[in-house]
Amino acid sequence: MTETRTVALVTGANKGLGQETVRQLAGRGWQVFLAARDRERGLRAAGTLAGEGLEVEFVELDVTSDESVSAAVKAVAERVDRLDVLVNNAGVGGPLLDPADMDAGALRALYEVNVFGQVRVTHAFLPMLRGSQQPRIVMVSSALASLTHAGDPARPEHGFLSLDYASSKAALNMVVSQYARALPGFKVNAADPGNPSTDMNHHTGIHTVAEGATAIVRLATLDPGGPTGGFFGSDGPVPW
């Protein structure tokens, strides 16, 4: 019954960090929609979690498609009367190119998912989120978006050049700031999952997906007194 249970939706959730976020939220007794663009993989992931005794439903959602996002909103609205938590996890990494070799086309392709996709999904689900007494939006960002870290030679982010990915996450952080100030009553925050071992980094990360999901889940479960418009990792605030 959605009157008393928290309802959440996680994008890009058929594997890795997204699937683990769904697992942890559903493990709290929440009703969670596992959203993914690949129907077969999404159904398989939802089935795996359902086999663990978790209440998880698959919804097909391609963040780059207006039609797909609209259909996903309709599908969710047919099942529940509101959405309490939206986790914008879907994201892609770009080619490992020197910034001098990066052209606008490559940048545009990555922004379509990492920035425009997050705005597309958030805008579409805002009516359902407004039906919640405690609406929360979590944007999955990265420490690579931190201008402070990028400018510090002692930080690993300083030595990692990624014009497309890092700048897309920095843009996403400003999206978070704008939404947080424009949506009173909402909790809108950016999460830094650290460096979890996933397909995106060819499983070279130093954290498990369970560890990476910590900051996301913490922001997804904020109480009414929690922060909004911030950037947080598992250990606390991350500098802009």
mmCIF file with all atom_site columns, all heavy atoms in Angstrom, residues 103-116:
data_model
loop_
_atom_site.group_PDB
_atom_site.id
_atom_site.type_symbol
_atom_site.label_atom_id
_atom_site.label_alt_id
_atom_site.label_comp_id
_atom_site.label_asym_id
_atom_site.label_entity_id
_atom_site.label_seq_id
_atom_site.pdbx_PDB_ins_code
_atom_site.Cartn_x
_atom_site.Cartn_y
_atom_site.Cartn_z
_atom_site.occupancy
_atom_site.B_iso_or_equiv
_atom_site.pdbx_formal_charge
_atom_site.auth_seq_id
_atom_site.auth_comp_id
_atom_site.auth_asym_id
_atom_site.auth_atom_id
_atom_site.pdbx_PDB_model_num
ATOM 1   N N   . ASP A 1 103 ? 36.330 16.501 -29.079 1.00 0.00 ? 103 ASP A N   1
ATOM 2   C CA  . ASP A 1 103 ? 35.552 17.434 -29.887 1.00 0.00 ? 103 ASP A CA  1
ATOM 3   C C   . ASP A 1 103 ? 34.148 17.585 -29.314 1.00 0.00 ? 103 ASP A C   1
ATOM 4   O O   . ASP A 1 103 ? 33.741 16.876 -28.386 1.00 0.00 ? 103 ASP A O   1
ATOM 5   C CB  . ASP A 1 103 ? 35.508 17.012 -31.353 1.00 0.00 ? 103 ASP A CB  1
ATOM 6   C CG  . ASP A 1 103 ? 34.824 15.659 -31.578 1.00 0.00 ? 103 ASP A CG  1
ATOM 7   O OD1 . ASP A 1 103 ? 34.029 15.228 -30.707 1.00 0.00 ? 103 ASP A OD1 1
ATOM 8   O OD2 . ASP A 1 103 ? 35.074 15.047 -32.618 1.00 0.00 ? 103 ASP A OD2 1
ATOM 9   N N   . ALA A 1 104 ? 33.408 18.532 -29.854 1.00 0.00 ? 104 ALA A N   1
ATOM 10  C CA  . ALA A 1 104 ? 32.085 18.848 -29.322 1.00 0.00 ? 104 ALA A CA  1
ATOM 11  C C   . ALA A 1 104 ? 31.112 17.683 -29.459 1.00 0.00 ? 104 ALA A C   1
ATOM 12  O O   . ALA A 1 104 ? 30.228 17.508 -28.614 1.00 0.00 ? 104 ALA A O   1
ATOM 13  C CB  . ALA A 1 104 ? 31.525 20.084 -30.020 1.00 0.00 ? 104 ALA A CB  1
ATOM 14  N N   . GLY A 1 105 ? 31.274 16.889 -30.517 1.00 0.00 ? 105 GLY A N   1
ATOM 15  C CA  . GLY A 1 105 ? 30.371 15.762 -30.724 1.00 0.00 ? 105 GLY A CA  1
ATOM 16  C C   . GLY A 1 105 ? 30.453 14.740 -29.606 1.00 0.00 ? 105 GLY A C   1
ATOM 17  O O   . GLY A 1 105 ? 29.430 14.261 -29.098 1.00 0.00 ? 105 GLY A O   1
ATOM 18  N N   . ALA A 1 106 ? 31.667 14.407 -29.207 1.00 0.00 ? 106 ALA A N   1
ATOM 19  C CA  . ALA A 1 106 ? 31.848 13.444 -28.117 1.00 0.00 ? 106 ALA A CA  1
ATOM 20  C C   . ALA A 1 106 ? 31.304 14.004 -26.808 1.00 0.00 ? 106 ALA A C   1
ATOM 21  O O   . ALA A 1 106 ? 30.695 13.288 -26.007 1.00 0.00 ? 106 ALA A O   1
ATOM 22  C CB  . ALA A 1 106 ? 33.326 13.088 -27.978 1.00 0.00 ? 106 ALA A CB  1
ATOM 23  N N   . LEU A 1 107 ? 31.524 15.285 -26.601 1.00 0.00 ? 107 LEU A N   1
ATOM 24  C CA  . LEU A 1 107 ? 31.037 15.931 -25.389 1.00 0.00 ? 107 LEU A CA  1
ATOM 25  C C   . LEU A 1 107 ? 29.507 15.931 -25.360 1.00 0.00 ? 107 LEU A C   1
ATOM 26  O O   . LEU A 1 107 ? 28.888 15.640 -24.341 1.00 0.00 ? 107 LEU A O   1
ATOM 27  C CB  . LEU A 1 107 ? 31.563 17.364 -25.338 1.00 0.00 ? 107 LEU A CB  1
ATOM 28  C CG  . LEU A 1 107 ? 31.521 18.088 -23.996 1.00 0.00 ? 107 LEU A CG  1
ATOM 29  C CD1 . LEU A 1 107 ? 32.467 17.444 -23.004 1.00 0.00 ? 107 LEU A CD1 1
ATOM 30  C CD2 . LEU A 1 107 ? 31.884 19.564 -24.189 1.00 0.00 ? 107 LEU A CD2 1
ATOM 31  N N   . ARG A 1 108 ? 28.899 16.221 -26.502 1.00 0.00 ? 108 ARG A N   1
ATOM 32  C CA  . ARG A 1 108 ? 27.448 16.295 -26.588 1.00 0.00 ? 108 ARG A CA  1
ATOM 33  C C   . ARG A 1 108 ? 26.808 14.938 -26.302 1.00 0.00 ? 108 ARG A C   1
ATOM 34  O O   . ARG A 1 108 ? 25.788 14.856 -25.606 1.00 0.00 ? 108 ARG A O   1
ATOM 35  C CB  . ARG A 1 108 ? 27.035 16.787 -27.972 1.00 0.00 ? 108 ARG A CB  1
ATOM 36  C CG  . ARG A 1 108 ? 25.545 17.045 -28.125 1.00 0.00 ? 108 ARG A CG  1
ATOM 37  C CD  . ARG A 1 108 ? 25.213 17.621 -29.497 1.00 0.00 ? 108 ARG A CD  1
ATOM 38  N NE  . ARG A 1 108 ? 25.857 18.907 -29.719 1.00 0.00 ? 108 ARG A NE  1
ATOM 39  C CZ  . ARG A 1 108 ? 26.855 19.118 -30.572 1.00 0.00 ? 108 ARG A CZ  1
ATOM 40  N NH1 . ARG A 1 108 ? 27.351 18.113 -31.289 1.00 0.00 ? 108 ARG A NH1 1
ATOM 41  N NH2 . ARG A 1 108 ? 27.369 20.316 -30.710 1.00 0.00 ? 108 ARG A NH2 1
ATOM 42  N N   . ALA A 1 109 ? 27.401 13.879 -26.803 1.00 0.00 ? 109 ALA A N   1
ATOM 43  C CA  . ALA A 1 109 ? 26.840 12.539 -26.589 1.00 0.00 ? 109 ALA A CA  1
ATOM 44  C C   . ALA A 1 109 ? 26.811 12.171 -25.122 1.00 0.00 ? 109 ALA A C   1
ATOM 45  O O   . ALA A 1 109 ? 25.849 11.574 -24.624 1.00 0.00 ? 109 ALA A O   1
ATOM 46  C CB  . ALA A 1 109 ? 27.657 11.516 -27.382 1.00 0.00 ? 109 ALA A CB  1
ATOM 47  N N   . LEU A 1 110 ? 27.845 12.535 -24.398 1.00 0.00 ? 110 LEU A N   1
ATOM 48  C CA  . LEU A 1 110 ? 27.906 12.205 -22.981 1.00 0.00 ? 110 LEU A CA  1
ATOM 49  C C   . LEU A 1 110 ? 26.986 13.104 -22.161 1.00 0.00 ? 110 LEU A C   1
ATOM 50  O O   . LEU A 1 110 ? 26.318 12.639 -21.235 1.00 0.00 ? 110 LEU A O   1
ATOM 51  C CB  . LEU A 1 110 ? 29.351 12.316 -22.498 1.00 0.00 ? 110 LEU A CB  1
ATOM 52  C CG  . LEU A 1 110 ? 29.603 11.732 -21.114 1.00 0.00 ? 110 LEU A CG  1
ATOM 53  C CD1 . LEU A 1 110 ? 30.878 10.886 -21.112 1.00 0.00 ? 110 LEU A CD1 1
ATOM 54  C CD2 . LEU A 1 110 ? 29.725 12.848 -20.094 1.00 0.00 ? 110 LEU A CD2 1
ATOM 55  N N   . TYR A 1 111 ? 26.908 14.380 -22.526 1.00 0.00 ? 111 TYR A N   1
ATOM 56  C CA  . TYR A 1 111 ? 26.004 15.295 -21.820 1.00 0.00 ? 111 TYR A CA  1
ATOM 57  C C   . TYR A 1 111 ? 24.547 14.881 -21.999 1.00 0.00 ? 111 TYR A C   1
ATOM 58  O O   . TYR A 1 111 ? 23.717 15.142 -21.118 1.00 0.00 ? 111 TYR A O   1
ATOM 59  C CB  . TYR A 1 111 ? 26.199 16.727 -22.335 1.00 0.00 ? 111 TYR A CB  1
ATOM 60  C CG  . TYR A 1 111 ? 27.219 17.526 -21.562 1.00 0.00 ? 111 TYR A CG  1
ATOM 61  C CD1 . TYR A 1 111 ? 28.537 17.092 -21.445 1.00 0.00 ? 111 TYR A CD1 1
ATOM 62  C CD2 . TYR A 1 111 ? 26.876 18.728 -20.955 1.00 0.00 ? 111 TYR A CD2 1
ATOM 63  C CE1 . TYR A 1 111 ? 29.475 17.828 -20.744 1.00 0.00 ? 111 TYR A CE1 1
ATOM 64  C CE2 . TYR A 1 111 ? 27.804 19.471 -20.258 1.00 0.00 ? 111 TYR A CE2 1
ATOM 65  C CZ  . TYR A 1 111 ? 29.099 19.017 -20.149 1.00 0.00 ? 111 TYR A CZ  1
ATOM 66  O OH  . TYR A 1 111 ? 30.027 19.752 -19.454 1.00 0.00 ? 111 TYR A OH  1
ATOM 67  N N   . GLU A 1 112 ? 24.225 14.265 -23.112 1.00 0.00 ? 112 GLU A N   1
ATOM 68  C CA  . GLU A 1 112 ? 22.848 13.855 -23.361 1.00 0.00 ? 112 GLU A CA  1
ATOM 69  C C   . GLU A 1 112 ? 22.351 12.901 -22.283 1.00 0.00 ? 112 GLU A C   1
ATOM 70  O O   . GLU A 1 112 ? 21.190 12.959 -21.878 1.00 0.00 ? 112 GLU A O   1
ATOM 71  C CB  . GLU A 1 112 ? 22.727 13.190 -24.737 1.00 0.00 ? 112 GLU A CB  1
ATOM 72  C CG  . GLU A 1 112 ? 21.316 12.836 -25.145 1.00 0.00 ? 112 GLU A CG  1
ATOM 73  C CD  . GLU A 1 112 ? 20.414 14.060 -25.256 1.00 0.00 ? 112 GLU A CD  1
ATOM 74  O OE1 . GLU A 1 112 ? 20.813 15.040 -25.916 1.00 0.00 ? 112 GLU A OE1 1
ATOM 75  O OE2 . GLU A 1 112 ? 19.308 14.035 -24.666 1.00 0.00 ? 112 GLU A OE2 1
ATOM 76  N N   . VAL A 1 113 ? 23.241 12.062 -21.788 1.00 0.00 ? 113 VAL A N   1
ATOM 77  C CA  . VAL A 1 113 ? 22.877 11.137 -20.717 1.00 0.00 ? 113 VAL A CA  1
ATOM 78  C C   . VAL A 1 113 ? 23.107 11.770 -19.350 1.00 0.00 ? 113 VAL A C   1
ATOM 79  O O   . VAL A 1 113 ? 22.205 11.823 -18.505 1.00 0.00 ? 113 VAL A O   1
ATOM 80  C CB  . VAL A 1 113 ? 23.692 9.827  -20.821 1.00 0.00 ? 113 VAL A CB  1
ATOM 81  C CG1 . VAL A 1 113 ? 23.343 8.892  -19.660 1.00 0.00 ? 113 VAL A CG1 1
ATOM 82  C CG2 . VAL A 1 113 ? 23.439 9.146  -22.149 1.00 0.00 ? 113 VAL A CG2 1
ATOM 83  N N   . ASN A 1 114 ? 24.303 12.270 -19.113 1.00 0.00 ? 114 ASN A N   1
ATOM 84  C CA  . ASN A 1 114 ? 24.720 12.670 -17.766 1.00 0.00 ? 114 ASN A CA  1
ATOM 85  C C   . ASN A 1 114 ? 24.117 13.983 -17.277 1.00 0.00 ? 114 ASN A C   1
ATOM 86  O O   . ASN A 1 114 ? 24.075 14.222 -16.064 1.00 0.00 ? 114 ASN A O   1
ATOM 87  C CB  . ASN A 1 114 ? 26.244 12.773 -17.699 1.00 0.00 ? 114 ASN A CB  1
ATOM 88  C CG  . ASN A 1 114 ? 26.928 11.428 -17.823 1.00 0.00 ? 114 ASN A CG  1
ATOM 89  O OD1 . ASN A 1 114 ? 26.276 10.400 -17.980 1.00 0.00 ? 114 ASN A OD1 1
ATOM 90  N ND2 . ASN A 1 114 ? 28.241 11.426 -17.749 1.00 0.00 ? 114 ASN A ND2 1
ATOM 91  N N   . VAL A 1 115 ? 23.678 14.821 -18.180 1.00 0.00 ? 115 VAL A N   1
ATOM 92  C CA  . VAL A 1 115 ? 23.091 16.106 -17.771 1.00 0.00 ? 115 VAL A CA  1
ATOM 93  C C   . VAL A 1 115 ? 21.651 16.224 -18.272 1.00 0.00 ? 115 VAL A C   1
ATOM 94  O O   . VAL A 1 115 ? 20.711 16.313 -17.481 1.00 0.00 ? 115 VAL A O   1
ATOM 95  C CB  . VAL A 1 115 ? 23.920 17.298 -18.285 1.00 0.00 ? 115 VAL A CB  1
ATOM 96  C CG1 . VAL A 1 115 ? 23.311 18.623 -17.798 1.00 0.00 ? 115 VAL A CG1 1
ATOM 97  C CG2 . VAL A 1 115 ? 25.368 17.186 -17.822 1.00 0.00 ? 115 VAL A CG2 1
ATOM 98  N N   . PHE A 1 116 ? 21.470 16.214 -19.583 1.00 0.00 ? 116 PHE A N   1
ATOM 99  C CA  . PHE A 1 116 ? 20.133 16.404 -20.134 1.00 0.00 ? 116 PHE A CA  1
ATOM 100 C C   . PHE A 1 116 ? 19.190 15.281 -19.696 1.00 0.00 ? 116 PHE A C   1
ATOM 101 O O   . PHE A 1 116 ? 18.005 15.526 -19.433 1.00 0.00 ? 116 PHE A O   1
ATOM 102 C CB  . PHE A 1 116 ? 20.183 16.478 -21.660 1.00 0.00 ? 116 PHE A CB  1
ATOM 103 C CG  . PHE A 1 116 ? 21.159 17.491 -22.196 1.00 0.00 ? 116 PHE A CG  1
ATOM 104 C CD1 . PHE A 1 116 ? 21.826 17.264 -23.383 1.00 0.00 ? 116 PHE A CD1 1
ATOM 105 C CD2 . PHE A 1 116 ? 21.422 18.671 -21.508 1.00 0.00 ? 116 PHE A CD2 1
ATOM 106 C CE1 . PHE A 1 116 ? 22.725 18.189 -23.882 1.00 0.00 ? 116 PHE A CE1 1
ATOM 107 C CE2 . PHE A 1 116 ? 22.325 19.604 -21.993 1.00 0.00 ? 116 PHE A CE2 1
ATOM 108 C CZ  . PHE A 1 116 ? 22.980 19.360 -23.187 1.00 0.00 ? 116 PHE A CZ  1
#
